[in-house]
Each structure stands twice: as C-alpha cells, then as structure tokens.
Amino acid sequence: MSTVPINLEWLSDCSGCHVAIVDLHEKILAVLESVTIQRCPVLTDVKDYPKAKLGLVSGAIRTEHDRHAAIEMRKSCDLIIAWGSCAVYGGIAGAGNVHSRQEIIDAVYIGNKTTATHAPPTKEVSALEPSVSPLDSVIDVDLYLPGCAPHPAFVFDALLALLEGRSPRTATGESVCARCRRKMEKTEVDRIRKNSEGVPDPDRCFLSQGYLCMGSVTLDRCMSPCPLNGIPCSGCAGATMQVLAEPNRDIRTEIAERMSRLTEIPREAIVREIERTSKTHYSYTMATPMIGEKPTFLIKKWTDEERDDYEQDHNH
C-alpha cells in the first residue's frame, strides 16, 4: 500500500507541538501505517523540502528564517496545517509585539547584565522580523489546529481527516467550559484571587470563586485538562470564534460580564485586572489581527498604565 508523504517544519515555538505527535501513543501506529515522514526537524536530518502531500507547520513567523521555511513548505506541500497556537495566532511569542524589535535586541544583548557580549549577533542567527505574525500572514493555510499543544485526539483526527478527504469530527466551536464539570453558582465573593491563593473548591466554577479563568472564552482543543485538575484555564488554545470574529466582543469584557454576575466583584474591577495583566491573558492571540487590530485592544496603553502604577508605588 502506498503511503502519504508528509513534511513537518518547526518555526518560532517551543517544540511542544512536535512532542504532541509522540503523545499519540499507540494511535501513532495507525498514522504511520498511512504516511511517510520525510522531513521532521526532531526526527530526520533533511535540510531541503521534498515534495509532499501534507505539511504540518508549528511556530510563529518571528525571524527571516521562519518566513523562508514557511514559503518552502508551501511550495513543497499540497496541503498545509497551521499546527498549534503559535502557527495559528502567533502564540506566546506574540507578546513580543508589545515592544519594538530594537527594544527586544537591547534588552537581550545590550542591556542584559547576565550576558557577556554587549552587541547583537551579526551572523549565524536569523534577523528578527519587525513583529510576530501567524503563519497565514505569509502563506495560505488549509487547516487550522490551535492548541498549546493541541490534544492528541485533535491531532489524530485532523491527520486522518485530511488523509481521508473529510472534515475533522472532533473539533467543534465549543469553549473549554463544555468539557469542564465545575458548576457556575452565584456567590458572595467580593475580590479577585490570585491563582496561587488558597485551595479552590474542586466542584465550583473558578469564576464563582474569584479566580480569573479563561475557559469560557477559549476554544476547546485540549479536553479541559487544566480546570479538571484544579488549574484555571490560561487561554492557550486561543479565543472562541465569537470573540475572534465579532468586533465588539473582547476577552476582558466577556469574562467581566460573566464573573460579575457570579460574584459580588464589580465588572469594572475585573476589566481593570485583566488589562493590568494583559500580557498574560492576551499572550497567545495578540499577534493575530483578529485580536491585535480590534479597536478595543489597547495593550500598550494598559501596560504603560501598569508600569506607571508600579513606579509610583515603588518610588514612595
């Protein structure tokens, strides 16, 4: 039986998406019976881009090398999957867009007290792009598979769906809350709690307890492992389509509306707290224009205000 040739590429990310392939466990045998992995940075020593039916690209466009590799993958593969939140939205590398390219170079190479050299590298390191952007800012994408990393069930289903010429069945438009068994209840909680504060009730919704949880505005591509194991959702799979596609809907206002109704915490206080910590709560998706170009997304204003507050508190 002939097999389908596959290329994998790894742009600016942490390698977690490639590890997710291993997490398929015995199911990987079903995939490997149908495919031939030709290029994979962690498995093969192949530098060029052989012709392939399917290409999986993880990571964001952060460097000139990322751009070159993405274009070569598009040329060599009939179908391209944007694999993981970094490829789909820009991922956590997108938090770099709050700063200019020069500010980042200065902080890492010039003003870093723990770095011996005080000049940025001029060879063997690819130059940074002006900003971080998702994969589809450079090449056309045939299927989006967000997640940090996507749950193996979604990876397995996506691979088989493309090989069988059908639509994926596992992926839906539901939020992380759809698989979370915690109950939303009205409480008298009157302040926001840090994630490290106290021991959350295992049966009650985090929002009801005063913890900021992104589950209700985050696409389910993970099977809800964090809230099911006592950890509020950080939003790593990216925002739901309602938040992404509708200009007037936003992560902070959606959470604030829901949380203020479940507790005694004022809506404005919740909005302000998410703005204050926006580099965390928007980090996975801020590089995509669907979030970064919303008229309500004012992260530089929010981070400037937070810095001013910090300096005021620590200068007196």
Side-chain angles (χ1 to χ4, degrees), residues 1-4 26-36 160 163:
M1 183 180 72
S2 62
T3 58
V4 175
E26 67 274 10
K27 287 184 177 179
I28 197 172
L29 299 177
V31 175
L32 291 177
E33 287 178 355
S34 303
V35 305
T36 297
L160 286 186
L163 295 173

Side-chain angles (χ1 to χ4, degrees), residues 99-110:
H99 306 280
S100 71
R101 178 171 51 185
Q102 192 59 47
E103 287 174 337
I104 293 172
I105 291 173
D106 289 348
V108 174
Y109 295 106
I110 299 175

Side-chain angles (χ1 to χ4, degrees), residues 23-275:
D23 284 343
L24 288 171
H25 300 296
E26 67 274 10
K27 287 184 177 179
I28 197 172
L29 299 177
V31 175
L32 291 177
E33 287 178 355
S34 303
V35 305
T36 297
I37 297 178
Q38 301 181 129
R39 174 193 169 86
C40 177
V42 297
L43 294 177
T44 63
D45 186 21
V46 175
K47 301 295 190 293
D48 60 353
Y49 294 85
K51 186 64 180 174
K53 173 70 175 177
L54 181 61
L56 282 78
V57 183
S58 69
I61 306 295
R62 169 75 276 190
T63 68
E64 292 178 359
H65 169 74
D66 293 335
R67 178 177 293 271
H68 167 76
I71 292 172
E72 291 303 314
M73 281 291 284
R74 183 69 270 185
K75 289 179 181 175
S76 66
C77 302
D78 296 337
L79 299 169
I80 289 287
I81 297 179
W83 181 24
S85 293
C86 292
V88 175
Y89 309 114
I92 55 174
N97 287 353
V98 178
H99 306 280
S100 71
R101 178 171 51 185
Q102 192 59 47
E103 287 174 337
I104 293 172
I105 291 173
D106 289 348
V108 174
Y109 295 106
I110 299 175
N112 190 336
K113 296 179 180 177
T114 63
T115 302
T117 179
H118 293 292
T122 57
K123 59 182 181 180
E124 298 182 351
V125 176
S126 180
L128 296 180
E129 294 261 320
S131 62
V132 179
S133 57
L135 182 63
D136 64 3
S137 69
V138 174
I139 62 172
D140 291 335
V141 169
D142 299 291
L143 181 68
Y144 295 86
L145 186 60
C148 186
H151 188 282
F154 293 102
V155 177
F156 181 69
D157 185 43
L159 289 174
L160 286 186
L162 283 180
L163 295 173
E164 295 171 359
R166 60 171 174 80
S167 297
R169 300 185 182 116
T170 308
T172 70
E174 294 180 324
S175 73
V176 170
C177 290
R179 299 180 198 268
C180 179
R181 293 190 291 273
R182 293 172 177 271
K183 294 180 180 178
M184 285 186 171
E185 298 172 335
K186 177 66 178 177
T187 68
E188 296 181 352
V189 171
D190 59 1
R191 66 180 180 85
I192 297 172
R193 295 178 176 173
K194 296 180 180 178
N195 287 0
S196 57
E197 185 178 343
V199 179
D201 184 325
D203 299 317
R204 181 175 286 176
C205 173
F206 282 114
L207 297 181
S208 297
Q209 301 181 64
Y211 295 100
L212 286 173
C213 178
M214 300 294 109
S216 60
V217 294
T218 300
L219 193 63
D220 172 34
R221 291 295 180 271
C222 59
M223 304 287 186
S224 310
C226 294
L228 290 175
N229 288 281
I231 302 171
C233 172
S234 63
C236 71
T240 58
M241 282 308 298
Q242 291 88 341
V243 173
L244 290 173
E246 296 183 24
N248 296 326
R249 302 185 77 164
D250 185 272
I251 290 174
R252 69 194 199 292
T253 53
E254 291 285 314
I255 292 290
E257 290 288 349
R258 202 163 286 120
M259 192 172 185
S260 61
R261 291 176 183 171
L262 291 170
T263 64
E264 299 298 326
I265 307 172
R267 177 186 180 280
E268 293 73 19
I270 301 167
V271 169
R272 176 63 191 126
E273 178 62 18
I274 297 177
E275 291 177 351

Side-chain angles (χ1 to χ4, degrees), residues 243-244 246-250 252 289-299 301-302:
V243 173
L244 290 173
E246 296 183 24
N248 296 326
R249 302 185 77 164
D250 185 272
R252 69 194 199 292
M290 289 190 288
I291 292 291
E293 295 183 4
K294 277 179 182 273
T296 55
F297 182 69
L298 305 172
I299 192 166
K301 171 179 178 291
W302 303 335

